[in-house]
Amino acid sequence: MALERQTPRKRRADGEESRRRILDAAVAVATERGYEGTSIALVSGKCGLPASSIYWHFADKDDLIAAVIERSFDTWLCAWTVPDGDGPRERIMALGTQVAAALVDSPDFLRLGLMLTLEHRPVEARARETFLHVRQQAKRRIAATLREFGLGLPEESVALLTTYAMATAEGLFIAAEAGGDNVDLVALFELHARQLYDAAVRSNTSEGQ
Amino acid sequence: MALERQTPRKRRADGEESRRRILDAAVAVATERGYEGTSIALVSGKCGLPASSIYWHFADKDDLIAAVIERSFDTWLCAWTVPDGDGPRERIMALGTQVAAALVDSPDFLRLGLMLTLEHRPVEARARETFLHVRQQAKRRIAATLREFGLGLPEESVALLTTYAMATAEGLFIAAEAGGDNVDLVALFELHARQLYDAAVRSNTSEGQ
Amino acid sequence: MALERQTPRKRRADGEESRRRILDAAVAVATERGYEGTSIALVSGKCGLPASSIYWHFADKDDLIAAVIERSFDTWLCAWTVPDGDGPRERIMALGTQVAAALVDSPDFLRLGLMLTLEHRPVEARARETFLHVRQQAKRRIAATLREFGLGLPEESVALLTTYAMATAEGLFIAAEAGGDNVDLVALFELHARQLYDAAVRSNTSEGQ
Amino acid sequence: MALERQTPRKRRADGEESRRRILDAAVAVATERGYEGTSIALVSGKCGLPASSIYWHFADKDDLIAAVIERSFDTWLCAWTVPDGDGPRERIMALGTQVAAALVDSPDFLRLGLMLTLEHRPVEARARETFLHVRQQAKRRIAATLREFGLGLPEESVALLTTYAMATAEGLFIAAEAGGDNVDLVALFELHARQLYDAAVRSNTSEGQ
DNA sequence: AATGAATGAGGATTCATTCAT
DNA sequence: AATGAATGAATCCTCATTCAT
């Protein structure tokens, strides 16, 4: 009764619901056409609300897309946790599987974010900053995971491996986009996790070379 | 030689030269702003020719950007060769270095192509098709290289490793874009090449696990 | 009454009024220059609203011109009624006079419609369909009139005479356009009505020859 | 040998042939889209010659379309003659049949001409003048025919009937355009000729009313 | 007798955004 | 909490025409 705030019976123009509809439409459009291709008119058409209503909920287009990325990132971030139990090898492989599955389920923030990352316009979009920011968060979580696995890696190796892990994850995501449905994202992520583990072990014993 | 052509170095309308200027301008703009962000007016301003002249050389914007990708890909493809001599480990590492260097030098086709890859508009841009096509070419070349190294890998492993190699290469490229200048692309590619080699060897001895 | 609405005669954006102004301007331009010759810039200039505002009220140029035809046809259709009283000869002559007068007063839909009729572009304009549709309505009304005059004509003759009546009416309209002001449209229409009546009588007594 | 100028063996860029091809293409395009809709690019595409070549043969677009009308009118004018023999009734009916058949065969000049007639742009196209000019020629020929039939009509009646005949002919032509193929142009023209004859006879006996 | 290349003006339409209600 | 209407700037692209060769 207290936990799940009951919606008032009279749904006199429910702002929260409208906001959600706009975001849903914006995700769909931005996924199809990227940042520039996402026009307010298109979003308006898709969500059924007039363009001017979108401006009631969001300051401008940039703000809208930043919100799309934030919401999608939160969803993704909640979808995976660092698994515990077993040895580091099993845990890292389980992690790979989880991350891959989360990406298959909610790939929006990554797709949109990567689009923005690849652009370098003179005056950057706020949405791009938002993505690079949440990307940093994800990276820190990966680094923490590597440390936590207790292989005793030096910070230098952690940094290199983190960058490598992240890059490959993103690359695999793109491969899935490019290759259509005949690319097995989960299988690739498992190969990736194994690679990563081996690299870490080797990097540890031979101290970086 | 003296009678005609008084003007020092040809001054008659030179279509080939104009085409080149347009493509140069288009590369610069598309690299900054992606497909939708590349306006004909921007390209026109950058190359000095009026917008209508661009349409003499290219059917439409899509055609122009497809041409940009094609030309840029050709440049990149010519910039690296499979190195010979030494053992497979040394050769694969040398290859990694080369590919990385080529990407640092002419990253246009990849940046633009990846942008297009991430979009999925209902009616696909021809430019996207062009990129996916040249990407296939690159992939075949990588697969051929893996076979040529004589490790005797089964085709299944070649396919998986090729996809993985390609994906990571693209991911590393993006990492460099996202991280600015403080990401050492060449170092990462060498780590990658080593990973790849080890994966190949292991995949070979243990047949898939 | 005093609190709100201080401005004398509503000054809030009035969509209905704007729509009317746009249509008025479009009639004038389309009448002068036909379908292709009617540019949105010309209409915009004539009605005072910016081009983009025209697109708030009409989906596109085609939609605008179809609306012009519809409105103009309605005006024309309301301007004449089948006269009653007297014998059929007098009534048919009165009808001819009325139709002619209505055409002199509001010839827009017919001029524009005929222009469209003469074109046969591969992908037909919706405006053309609209005209052919309202033209059918007018034709049915003429046929009904012929039947109502009680000459007991067989349907076959009604159809032939209707087509003939319609065609000649349109032809006379064109003659007036081609000949400038020195063609007496009303006189011609009376001659036409007489012709039509005689043809009907004869067609009736001699059954088709 | 002298009558039909033999074409030189070496057809080194035959100007006459190119001109014909351009005119053929222009007829096709203008028939589809009217005066404004006929773009040089479209004509160029249809005839295979570059746009600049069209300007070698014709001063400008207006000149091209005027030439189209002239050529098409000549064809039509040659396709019918005032028939002799028999009584006036038979002759006028035969004439109707001929004119109708000629229009079915080469309707281009009339269609295009009528399109131009219906427009009233501030600065008239030369092509419009050309059409109104050839239309006058046709009208004079009809008037001469009416006189020649020897019914002894007063000039006033000849003028009225000529206008009426011409108008109806054009109206019937449009009816065929509007109604598609299910309008029997020849049948309508025969009805028309009969009407015309009867009107003439009556107008003669009752002196105009 | 032709044509490849160019060009400024103008074509329809969409853009992100605002504002009065 | 929303929206109908408006708007100036920008979008892609086509226009008729020219000119050097």
Side-chain angles (χ1 to χ4, degrees):
Chain A
M1 190 197 186
L3 232 153
E4 192 151 10
R5 201 175 292 103
Q6 32 172 185
T7 41
R9 280 288 141 63
K10 320 241 83 158
R11 54 166 56 235
R12 31 92 186 146
D14 185 346
E16 213 46 58
E17 146 93 5
S18 291
R19 204 186 129 96
R20 194 165 33 251
R21 275 168 59 200
I22 294 168
L23 281 174
D24 288 344
V27 169
V29 175
T31 283
E32 268 186 1
R33 329 175 82 101
Y35 181 86
E36 295 260 6
T38 300
S39 80
I40 300 294
L42 236 30
V43 174
S44 155
K46 200 147 215 154
C47 72
L49 295 164
S52 46
S53 295
I54 296 176
Y55 281 89
W56 197 90
H57 290 277
F58 301 94
D60 53 22
K61 180 177 148 172
D62 216 19
D63 189 40
L64 168 62
I65 296 192
V68 165
I69 289 183
E70 250 159 15
R71 193 184 66 160
S72 171
F73 174 70
D74 285 344
T75 308
W76 176 75
L77 208 56
C78 292
W80 58 277
T81 52
V82 181
D84 48 25
D86 305 331
R89 191 171 202 272
E90 283 68 38
R91 289 171 74 199
I92 211 168
M93 299 258 328
L95 181 61
T97 313
Q98 269 194 55
V99 170
L103 276 183
V104 169
D105 283 355
S106 56
D108 306 315
F109 97 95
L110 190 52
R111 183 184 296 112
L112 236 182
L114 291 178
M115 287 174 177
L116 288 169
T117 301
L118 289 163
E119 299 179 6
H120 278 309
R121 53 193 65 205
V123 45
E124 296 292 3
R126 242 179 307 149
R128 190 181 195 257
E129 295 311 308
T130 300
F131 173 71
L132 292 181
H133 186 76
V134 302
R135 190 179 182 273
Q136 269 316 107
Q137 270 185 258
K139 237 177 133 177
R140 272 196 296 274
R141 190 147 151 190
I142 293 180
T145 305
L146 278 174
R147 281 188 215 97
E148 192 202 352
F149 282 167
L151 298 167
L153 290 171
E155 268 313 297
E156 208 181 295
S157 296
V158 168
L160 190 67
L161 280 172
T162 301
T163 300
Y164 184 69
M166 191 81 185
T168 307
E170 287 168 352
L172 290 173
F173 175 75
I174 287 179
E177 298 286 309
D181 288 326
N182 58 7
V183 169
D184 185 348
L185 201 54
V186 176
L188 281 165
F189 262 85
E190 273 167 14
L191 172 61
H192 178 44
R194 201 161 46 225
Q195 291 293 107
L196 216 55
Y197 175 78
D198 294 340
V201 170
R202 223 166 320 118
S203 142
N204 205 20
T205 49
S206 67
E207 218 62 339
Q209 161 60 300
Chain B
M1 193 197 185
L3 231 155
E4 238 179 324
R5 189 159 320 165
Q6 252 113 330
T7 34
R9 255 182 266 278
K10 78 188 144 66
R11 196 76 298 271
R12 53 89 126 79
D14 181 350
E16 213 47 59
E17 146 93 6
S18 293
R19 204 187 128 96
R20 198 162 32 246
R21 274 167 57 200
I22 295 168
L23 280 175
D24 289 344
V27 169
V29 177
T31 279
E32 259 188 5
R33 326 174 83 102
Y35 184 87
E36 296 260 5
T38 301
S39 81
I40 299 294
L42 237 29
V43 175
S44 156
K46 202 150 213 151
C47 73
L49 290 163
S52 49
S53 293
I54 296 177
Y55 284 91
W56 170 260
H57 294 276
F58 302 93
D60 53 23
K61 182 176 146 171
D62 211 19
D63 189 39
L64 169 60
I65 296 191
V68 164
I69 288 182
E70 247 161 15
R71 194 185 65 160
S72 172
F73 173 70
D74 285 344
T75 307
W76 176 76
L77 207 57
C78 292
W80 58 276
T81 53
V82 181
D84 48 24
D86 304 331
R89 190 168 203 273
E90 283 68 38
R91 289 171 75 200
I92 211 169
M93 299 261 324
L95 182 60
T97 313
Q98 266 194 57
V99 170
L103 276 182
V104 169
D105 283 355
S106 58
D108 308 316
F109 98 95
L110 191 52
R111 183 182 296 114
L112 232 182
L114 291 179
M115 288 175 182
L116 288 168
T117 301
L118 290 164
E119 298 180 5
H120 280 305
R121 49 193 75 205
V123 45
E124 294 291 4
R126 248 177 303 151
R128 189 182 193 258
E129 295 308 308
T130 300
F131 174 70
L132 292 181
H133 186 75
V134 302
R135 190 180 180 274
Q136 268 316 105
Q137 269 185 259
K139 238 178 132 178
R140 272 196 294 274
R141 190 146 150 191
I142 292 180
T145 305
L146 278 174
R147 282 189 214 96
E148 192 202 346
F149 282 165
L151 300 166
L153 290 170
E155 268 313 298
E156 211 180 294
S157 297
V158 168
L160 189 67
L161 280 172
T162 300
T163 299
Y164 183 70
M166 191 80 185
T168 308
E170 287 169 352
L172 290 173
F173 176 75
I174 287 177
E177 297 287 311
D181 290 325
N182 58 7
V183 169
D184 184 348
L185 200 55
V186 177
L188 279 165
F189 260 89
E190 274 167 13
L191 172 60
H192 178 45
R194 200 160 46 221
Q195 292 294 107
L196 215 54
Y197 175 78
D198 294 341
V201 170
R202 224 164 320 120
S203 142
N204 205 22
T205 49
S206 66
E207 217 63 338
Q209 161 59 304
Chain C
M1 192 197 185
L3 229 155
E4 237 179 326
R5 189 159 320 167
Q6 252 113 331
T7 34
R9 256 183 266 278
K10 75 185 149 50
R11 197 76 298 270
R12 51 89 127 77
D14 181 350
E16 213 48 60
E17 145 93 6
S18 292
R19 205 187 127 96
R20 197 161 34 247
R21 274 168 58 201
I22 295 168
L23 280 174
D24 289 343
V27 169
V29 177
T31 280
E32 259 188 6
R33 325 173 85 101
Y35 184 87
E36 295 261 4
T38 300
S39 82
I40 299 294
L42 238 29
V43 175
S44 156
K46 202 149 213 152
C47 73
L49 290 163
S52 49
S53 293
I54 295 177
Y55 283 89
W56 171 260
H57 294 277
F58 302 93
D60 52 23
K61 182 175 146 172
D62 212 18
D63 189 39
L64 169 60
I65 296 191
V68 164
I69 288 182
E70 246 161 17
R71 194 185 64 160
S72 171
F73 173 71
D74 286 344
T75 307
W76 176 75
L77 207 56
C78 292
W80 58 277
T81 53
V82 180
D84 47 25
D86 305 332
R89 192 170 203 275
E90 283 68 36
R91 288 170 76 199
I92 211 169
M93 299 265 320
L95 182 60
T97 313
Q98 265 193 59
V99 170
L103 277 182
V104 169
D105 283 355
S106 58
D108 308 316
F109 98 95
L110 191 52
R111 182 183 296 112
L112 232 183
L114 292 178
M115 288 175 182
L116 288 168
T117 301
L118 290 164
E119 298 180 5
H120 280 304
R121 51 193 73 204
V123 44
E124 294 292 3
R126 248 177 304 150
R128 189 181 192 257
E129 295 309 308
T130 300
F131 174 71
L132 292 181
H133 186 75
V134 302
R135 190 179 179 275
Q136 268 315 105
Q137 269 185 259
K139 238 178 132 177
R140 272 197 294 274
R141 189 145 151 190
I142 292 179
T145 305
L146 278 175
R147 281 189 215 96
E148 192 201 347
F149 283 165
L151 300 167
L153 290 171
E155 268 314 298
E156 210 180 295
S157 298
V158 168
L160 189 68
L161 281 171
T162 301
T163 299
Y164 184 69
M166 191 80 186
T168 308
E170 287 169 352
L172 291 173
F173 176 76
I174 288 178
E177 298 289 309
D181 289 326
N182 58 8
V183 169
D184 185 348
L185 200 54
V186 177
L188 280 165
F189 260 88
E190 274 167 14
L191 172 60
H192 178 45
R194 200 160 48 221
Q195 291 293 108
L196 215 54
Y197 175 76
D198 293 341
V201 170
R202 223 164 321 118
S203 143
N204 206 21
T205 49
S206 66
E207 217 64 338
Q209 160 59 300
Chain D
M1 190 197 185
L3 231 155
E4 192 151 10
R5 203 175 290 103
Q6 31 173 187
T7 40
R9 279 293 142 63
K10 320 241 82 157
R11 52 167 56 238
R12 30 95 184 141
D14 184 346
E16 212 47 58
E17 146 93 6
S18 290
R19 203 186 129 96
R20 194 165 34 250
R21 274 168 59 199
I22 294 168
L23 281 174
D24 289 344
V27 169
V29 175
T31 284
E32 268 186 1
R33 330 174 82 100
Y35 182 85
E36 295 259 6
T38 301
S39 80
I40 299 296
L42 237 30
V43 174
S44 156
K46 199 146 215 156
C47 72
L49 294 165
S52 45
S53 296
I54 296 177
Y55 282 88
W56 197 91
H57 289 276
F58 301 94
D60 53 22
K61 181 177 148 171
D62 216 19
D63 189 40
L64 168 61
I65 296 192
V68 165
I69 289 183
E70 249 159 16
R71 194 184 64 160
S72 171
F73 175 69
D74 285 346
T75 308
W76 175 75
L77 208 56
C78 291
W80 58 276
T81 52
V82 180
D84 48 24
D86 304 331
R89 192 170 202 274
E90 283 68 36
R91 289 171 75 200
I92 210 168
M93 299 258 327
L95 181 60
T97 313
Q98 267 194 57
V99 170
L103 277 182
V104 169
D105 283 354
S106 56
D108 307 314
F109 97 96
L110 190 52
R111 183 184 297 112
L112 236 182
L114 291 178
M115 287 175 178
L116 288 169
T117 301
L118 289 164
E119 297 179 8
H120 277 310
R121 54 193 65 209
V123 45
E124 297 291 4
R126 242 179 306 148
R128 189 180 194 258
E129 295 310 308
T130 300
F131 174 71
L132 292 181
H133 186 75
V134 302
R135 191 178 181 274
Q136 268 317 106
Q137 269 185 259
K139 237 177 134 177
R140 271 196 297 275
R141 190 148 152 190
I142 292 181
T145 305
L146 277 175
R147 281 188 216 98
E148 193 202 351
F149 282 165
L151 299 167
L153 288 172
E155 267 314 298
E156 209 181 297
S157 296
V158 168
L160 191 67
L161 280 173
T162 301
T163 300
Y164 184 69
M166 190 80 184
T168 308
E170 287 169 350
L172 290 173
F173 175 75
I174 286 179
E177 297 287 310
D181 288 327
N182 58 8
V183 169
D184 185 348
L185 202 54
V186 175
L188 281 165
F189 262 86
E190 274 166 14
L191 172 61
H192 178 45
R194 199 160 49 223
Q195 290 295 107
L196 216 54
Y197 176 77
D198 294 340
V201 170
R202 223 166 321 118
S203 143
N204 206 20
T205 49
S206 67
E207 217 64 340
Q209 161 61 297

